[in-house]
Amino acid sequence: MLRPGLTVLVRMGRESGETASEAAMEQCASVEREVDKVLQKFLTYGQHCEQSLEELLHHVGQLRAELASAALQGTPLSATLSLVMSQCCRKIKDTVQKLASDHKDIHSSVSRVGKAIDRNFDSEICGVVSDAVWDSREKQQQILQMAIVEHLYQQGMLSVAEELCQESTLNVDLDFKQPFLELNRILEALHEQDLGPALEWAVSHRQRLLELNSSLEFKLHRLHFIRLLAGGPEKQLEALSYARHFQPFARLHQREIQVMMGSLVYLRLGLEKSPYCHLLDNSHWAEICETFTRDACSLLGLSVESPLSVRTLPRVPDRWQCAGLLSACWALGLAAPAPALFCSFASGCVALPVLMNIKAVIEQRQCTGVWSHKDELPIEIELGMKCWYHSVFACPILRQQTSDSNPPIKLICGHVISRDALNKLINGGKLKCPYCPMEQNPADGKRIIF
């Protein structure tokens, strides 16, 4: 929850948040229109340039043929041919001058794009927040580098990640790298249609996968069984023997197992022309890679999304995503669990228009001191489900969001309040629950971790 001194800003922020977002979108659309004009001029200029040069080449080619014919005949250059050559040279000069003039017009259109950006956007976005709420520049740089390194590891670009760590003197623990190294090794094997490493990993993590209601191990066994079916009648006995691996999954995947067993009837005739031809679809390999990535990341506490991913930004045009807002979003300090850079970028694109509007209100009312805390924003901003990573608890007594320094405490009666509220309610060494008449020892309260 927010501090009482920010009540007015909260109310104004909520009322103006939607208006600010609409205004920001209109600003982006204005710049986009200027960009479209430039692109259209480039296209028209390119077509005109190509057509003009083609005409010149054709005209010069004809003149060259006539000159070559006159030279072979040994006749002197006629007055008519001399006049044609003069006209050709003049036409070439005029065409080049015209193309150069049109090119200068494009330069002016490009400059108008820059002016539109300056007119519609705040050139100093970092001024949205005061220096007092920023961490040190070194710490910001380290967090940014760590997010990039995590992205490189997650994408399998291990050598690039190691090079970045060396050049930036970033110390990355082996425990941090190991999950990415293992997952990339298994994914590379799956791309080569090698199920061995993935099956070995799934079997070793069977219990934890079952707790996640994951069907990864069954899908891996099913895909291996299908590979045996694709081998034809020669693999029939091996496939029947391998079907014993389906026994632990019979209750949850009975229908799928029945389908695979039924396909054995058509093995000698060929599955390609049977009702079970869908089992041989190559899409199963892409599906198993996706399933493994999702379940393995969930098991290891990693994000499926890359830290640099911006695919799910809400209501933000593609061109705005590339408009240099990354540094501004990072400057907002909207820290969150991994993926840090994705959350910062997405949150910043949503929050930036509202915060810029609130900045103007703060300056207008000359109350610049109301926002000086690193751990809170001056208003509440709805970021959407994609940016929800954990539950939060607001103390019902003090109406403040709990934190590491002020955690939620569960009383003996079952009610939960913050530690600061608990300390304020102590009277004579005893605590009376504000929601029920039970008196208790404050020391009996237990900290809750969501």
Side-chain angles (χ1 to χ4, degrees):
M1 303 298 288
L2 303 176
R3 294 184 292 113
L6 299 176
T7 304
V8 176
L9 291 178
V10 170
R11 184 176 66 253
M12 297 186 67
R14 286 174 177 170
E15 293 173 353
S16 62
E18 185 175 349
T19 304
S21 297
E22 293 176 354
M25 296 301 292
E26 178 57 34
Q27 290 169 341
C28 291
S30 177
V31 174
E32 187 175 18
R33 285 192 291 269
E34 293 295 335
V35 173
D36 288 337
K37 291 179 182 178
V38 173
L39 293 176
Q40 184 60 40
K41 283 193 174 184
F42 266 114
L43 179 62
T44 304
Y45 175 77
Q47 293 173 348
H48 174 66
C49 183
E50 184 177 356
Q51 182 180 356
S52 300
L53 292 177
E54 286 290 343
E55 292 176 357
L56 283 178
L57 288 173
H58 179 68
H59 189 66
V60 171
Q62 289 180 337
L63 182 58
R64 181 180 179 183
E66 292 180 10
L67 291 173
S69 177
L72 289 174
Q73 295 175 4
T75 58
L77 192 63
S78 65
T80 304
L81 200 54
S82 298
L83 179 61
V84 172
M85 287 182 63
S86 300
Q87 291 176 347
C88 181
C89 291
R90 192 180 305 112
K91 185 176 182 180
I92 292 174
K93 183 178 179 180
D94 293 342
T95 301
V96 171
Q97 289 179 348
K98 180 67 167 61
L99 293 177
S101 176
D102 293 343
H103 194 268
K104 288 182 180 179
D105 291 340
I106 294 179
H107 276 287
S108 63
S109 299
V110 173
S111 65
R112 282 196 290 271
V113 174
K115 292 177 182 178
I117 293 175
D118 294 337
R119 184 172 60 253
N120 287 283
F121 297 104
D122 192 338
S123 59
E124 186 55 46
I125 301 180
C126 295
V128 172
V129 294
S130 63
D131 294 337
V133 301
W134 286 42
D135 289 319
S136 65
R137 184 172 296 276
E138 292 76 13
K139 184 176 180 181
Q140 290 184 46
Q141 187 175 8
Q142 184 180 13
I143 295 174
L144 180 59
Q145 290 170 348
M146 195 65 185
I148 296 174
V149 167
E150 181 181 342
H151 165 77
L152 294 173
Y153 277 128
Q154 189 159 340
Q155 297 300 313
M157 306 169 68
L158 308 180
S159 60
V160 181
E162 292 295 334
E163 187 68 24
L164 176 59
C165 291
Q166 292 179 7
E167 294 186 5
S168 62
T169 65
L170 188 66
N171 185 21
V172 180
D173 294 334
L174 182 61
D175 293 340
F176 175 82
K177 296 188 290 186
Q178 189 58 38
F180 295 104
L181 296 175
E182 184 178 17
L183 295 187
N184 277 286
R185 177 182 63 84
I186 296 174
L187 280 174
E188 287 179 3
L190 287 176
H191 287 308
E192 297 294 330
Q193 298 192 356
D194 180 9
L195 295 169
L199 274 170
E200 182 180 350
W201 185 90
V203 170
S204 62
H205 295 83
R206 176 179 296 169
Q207 188 58 40
R208 296 181 63 189
L209 287 171
L210 290 176
E211 293 174 0
L212 295 174
N213 294 323
S214 169
S215 59
L216 174 62
E217 185 180 354
F218 169 74
K219 289 182 178 181
L220 289 168
H221 285 303
R222 182 185 65 178
L223 194 54
H224 185 78
F225 183 83
I226 292 174
R227 289 192 68 181
L228 294 176
L229 293 179
E234 294 80 6
K235 295 287 185 177
Q236 182 173 3
L237 292 178
E238 186 177 351
L240 285 171
S241 177
Y242 191 84
R244 298 172 183 173
H245 289 88
F246 295 138
Q247 183 177 356
F249 312 101
R251 184 174 62 86
L252 297 177
H253 302 278
Q254 180 180 357
R255 175 60 181 167
E256 295 170 274
I257 295 173
Q258 289 174 345
V259 169
M260 286 185 288
M261 293 298 101
S263 66
L264 292 171
V265 177
Y266 293 87
L267 197 57
R268 295 187 179 277
L269 300 177
L271 291 182
E272 298 83 359
K273 300 179 180 180
S274 73
Y276 300 92
C277 59
H278 64 277
L279 295 176
L280 303 178
D281 195 337
N282 284 330
S283 62
H284 292 305
W285 289 100
E287 179 188 351
I288 200 64
C289 289
E290 181 180 348
T291 303
F292 172 78
T293 302
R294 182 185 65 248
D295 292 351
C297 287
S298 299
L299 187 72
L300 299 175
L302 303 174
S303 171
V304 178
E305 293 283 353
S306 162
L308 300 185
S309 172
V310 292
R311 292 193 300 271
T312 53
L313 291 178
R315 304 185 304 278
V316 179
D318 293 340
R319 288 181 181 169
W320 197 12
Q321 295 179 13
C322 303
L325 288 178
L326 180 57
S327 58
C329 301
W330 188 259
L332 293 176
L334 301 177
L341 198 53
F342 161 71
C343 179
S344 180
F345 192 100
S347 302
C349 286
V350 176
L352 187 57
V354 182
L355 292 180
M356 292 179 69
N357 192 56
I358 290 300
K359 173 195 171 186
V361 175
I362 292 176
E363 292 177 349
Q364 181 181 1
R365 292 176 173 260
Q366 298 181 353
C367 50
T368 55
V370 298
W371 185 15
S372 59
H373 290 249
K374 296 182 179 181
D375 297 332
E376 69 176 15
L377 293 172
I379 58 173
E380 290 188 43
I381 298 177
E382 179 60 43
L383 298 179
M385 291 296 295
K386 279 291 182 180
C387 293
W388 288 12
Y389 292 94
H390 55 79
S391 301
V392 295
F393 176 77
C395 176
I397 305 301
L398 300 181
R399 299 189 179 278
Q400 292 179 347
Q401 186 172 306
T402 55
S403 61
D404 291 339
S405 59
N406 180 32
I409 303 296
K410 176 179 174 295
L411 306 179
I412 295 178
C413 55
H415 294 110
V416 181
I417 60 177
S418 66
R419 177 177 290 172
D420 288 349
L422 183 146
N423 293 333
K424 291 183 179 181
L425 291 172
I426 296 176
N427 185 9
K430 290 290 184 179
L431 169 69
K432 184 176 181 180
C433 176
Y435 290 98
C436 65
M438 180 179 290
E439 288 192 357
Q440 50 200 290
N441 188 345
D444 293 335
K446 302 294 183 181
R447 176 177 178 176
I448 294 180
I449 299 177
F450 290 100

